[in-house]
Amino acid sequence: MDSQKVDMFLISNNKFFESYHLMEIKDLLLKADDSKFTNVQIQQYKDPTTVLIVSLLAGTFGIDRFMIGDTGLGIAKLLTCGGLGIWTIIDWFLIMGATKSKNFEKLVTSLSY
């Protein structure tokens, strides 16, 4: 894949991924075919800041976990009222990292098809 395309993708989408994943993403994209680049570009990555705001406002109901695709954890959080509030507070610190990890998993999955 073209190095300029990869660099433009990383510049425009770096907020969706952890900084330590960026070099790995660059290597994966450089090794991938041009046909797979379209799959990577059309993916809808979740914005970690938006998920954090949802977590602050409605994290007790597990909506933040549902947003990033953790349905099981979302149901558990909903049924326990956010672990009686403790889980909700912990998620305020962890949800952005979890969102970025889910985005990375989505990117790797889109490259494998």
Side-chain angles (χ1 to χ4, degrees):
M1 190 175 304
D2 185 27
S3 178
Q4 288 181 336
K5 281 186 190 178
V6 172
D7 289 340
M8 288 303 294
F9 175 81
L10 289 175
I11 289 170
S12 61
N13 294 304
N14 67 350
K15 70 177 181 176
F16 298 120
F17 305 104
E18 293 284 0
S19 58
Y20 59 86
H21 282 147
L22 293 177
M23 289 306 294
E24 186 175 353
I25 291 170
K26 185 173 184 173
D27 292 339
L28 287 170
L29 289 175
L30 287 172
K31 293 176 186 174
D33 297 338
D34 283 337
S35 61
K36 294 186 180 191
F37 188 67
T38 305
N39 290 340
V40 172
Q41 283 186 315
I42 63 171
Q43 294 295 321
Q44 295 293 318
Y45 301 107
K46 302 291 184 196
D47 187 359
T49 307
T50 304
V51 176
L52 175 64
I53 292 169
V54 169
S55 184
L56 290 170
L57 297 175
T60 304
F61 305 113
I63 295 172
D64 51 351
R65 289 295 177 165
F66 286 116
M67 282 181 69
I68 65 171
D70 284 339
T71 307
L73 291 176
I75 291 171
K77 200 170 174 184
L78 176 64
L79 294 176
T80 62
C81 292
L84 300 175
I86 297 169
W87 189 357
T88 303
I89 294 170
I90 292 170
D91 257 357
W92 292 345
F93 298 98
L94 301 179
I95 198 67
M96 288 183 77
T99 305
K100 291 177 180 183
S101 294
K102 289 287 184 175
N103 287 337
F104 179 71
E105 290 172 17
K106 187 185 285 190
L107 180 130
V108 171
T109 304
S110 69
L111 282 173
S112 65
Y113 287 121

